[in-house]
Amino acid sequence: MGKCTFKGGVHPFDGKELSKDKPIKELFPEGDMVYPLSQHIGAPAVPVVAKGDYVLAGQLIAEAGGFVSANIHSSVSGTVKAIEPRTLATGGKCNSIVIENDGEYKEVEYVPKTLAELSRDEIRERIKAAGVVGMGGAGFPTHVKLNPPKDTPIDHILINAAECEPYLTCDYRLMLEEPERIVRGLQIMLKLHPNAKGVIGIEMNKPEAIASMQKACEGIDNITVQPLVTKFPQGSEKHLIYAITKREVKSGALPASAGCIVDNVDTVVAIERAICKGRPLMRRIVTVSGKGIKNPGNYKIRIGMTLRDLVDAIGGFNEENPPVKLIAGGPMMGPTLYTLDVASVKTTSGLLCFTKDEAYIPEERNCIRCGKCVEHCPMGLMPFMLNAFAIKGDGEGFVKHHGLDCIECGSCSYECPA
């Protein structure tokens, strides 16, 4: 196999040195918890609790609202305060369950199981019951992803450990601190598809993570670690598949059409937790970084904790050099926040607090037709034309020139001299 990479892409400043050496630290929320009913791709979840109900940590509070949907569980014990619209990181609003945290963290009883005593259908059902979704950004319900049509055999299960977004190091720390759990989660996925081989793809700028995962895989014949060329957006599903298998996922098709299933590192740990411990998805690891925060690092938080509570819990902003821009997720694809009064959800991977220097973006000028956007677009599109169609409101031209294949990675904007 040649170099494990793809055509196009960019090499932004990665900024990972601010948090990559900070071990994961667990935080406990103090304020109200907010659970938006849309934390995943697909239909919103449907509340199964009402105002005034007392709930325990791990209790189901909203059930999947359709085939492509996911359950939501409380991550604390307390009283349901309201079910009302609350602001999301994207700026919109969504009906949310608000729970007054009693600080006691009383939990439901879980039913641990061993992998050997579960059938394939029981494995999928436990993953579904636990509300596991893709935690790399998209939030696709995992039980649906692991159950592709029977006429699409799976021969590769790829673990997306690229973490190509600048500044984010939460997956990196998981690979250093809990590699065995990642491998166990992958083995669970391989039981569902016994003819598949597991491949953990890690960018070569993370040699310690590569070594950690290789050690954890020793003696396991059907799991390998594949170093990848460091380039953004290496963590994109289609580009990870091409880099490792040299297969292309056609426009509009799912990875299963190429014989592949792709899941993020933290998603695999959530699978392991759901199967082995019976625990639902209630927590995630979040990187808080940027020069505008006092204590950048990687934090294990309860889903539903507001980003304001998160900032307060780790010491607040850098008063001498405060942030002028806040981003939920990575700087290439994450939305800019206008308030911290939003809940952390299953797909919250980071909170970046950028100072004026870090947030600097040159003033936009006219396109000079240099072609850099075309050269670096990982999807092989012509962004300068798509931009013109968008400005004119020409939806037909946008679609005709494959604008719907855009993955919104920002590579074109990053390289554009205008």
Side-chain angles (χ1 to χ4, degrees), residues 211-380:
S212 175
M213 294 311 306
Q214 285 176 333
K215 183 177 180 181
C217 295
E218 286 178 356
I220 304 175
D221 295 336
N222 61 346
I223 297 179
T224 59
V225 176
Q226 178 60 62
L228 306 168
V229 172
T230 303
K231 183 164 60 171
F232 181 87
Q234 182 64 83
S236 160
E237 240 179 9
K238 291 186 176 182
H239 300 95
L240 187 73
I241 290 170
Y242 181 79
I244 293 175
T245 70
K246 293 298 181 275
R247 300 174 187 172
E248 293 189 6
V249 179
K250 295 180 180 179
S251 177
L254 295 173
S257 66
C260 299
I261 288 175
V262 182
D263 261 319
N264 162 268
V265 168
D266 207 2
T267 309
V268 180
V269 173
I271 290 172
E272 187 267 351
R273 190 185 305 111
I275 298 303
C276 300
K277 298 184 178 181
R279 294 177 65 91
L281 179 53
M282 298 186 294
R283 77 97 186 101
R284 74 151 301 141
I285 313 300
V286 176
T287 298
V288 184
S289 193
K291 295 179 181 177
I293 194 80
K294 279 184 180 178
N295 297 299
N298 301 286
Y299 299 95
K300 181 189 294 187
I301 66 170
R302 301 285 175 122
I303 291 169
M305 183 180 189
T306 68
L307 299 184
R308 188 173 299 281
D309 286 347
L310 171 57
V311 169
D312 290 342
I314 63 175
F317 295 133
N318 184 346
E319 295 166 2
E320 296 178 0
N321 197 10
V324 299
K325 176 178 277 190
L326 302 172
I327 299 173
M332 296 296 287
M333 299 181 71
T336 300
L337 298 166
Y338 68 85
T339 176
L340 284 174
D341 293 318
V342 299
S344 59
V345 294
K346 297 177 183 181
T347 57
T348 302
S349 57
L351 173 63
L352 304 185
C353 307
F354 281 174
T355 61
K356 187 174 181 179
D357 289 342
E358 291 174 304
Y360 172 73
I361 297 176
E363 184 179 347
E364 183 178 351
R365 301 189 299 275
N366 292 331
C367 175
I368 61 173
R369 298 293 193 275
C370 66
K372 283 185 175 291
C373 60
V374 179
E375 178 186 352
H376 291 277
C377 176
M379 295 303 295

Side-chain angles (χ1 to χ4, degrees), residues 87-121:
T87 303
L88 302 173
T90 53
K93 286 185 178 288
C94 172
N95 264 353
S96 306
I97 298 171
V98 183
I99 294 179
E100 185 176 2
N101 179 13
D102 65 9
E104 296 183 19
Y105 300 99
K106 292 181 282 188
E107 299 194 28
V108 301
E109 290 188 15
Y110 306 113
V111 183
K113 293 279 186 178
T114 63
L115 183 57
E117 63 186 303
L118 293 172
S119 69
R120 295 177 193 173
D121 287 341

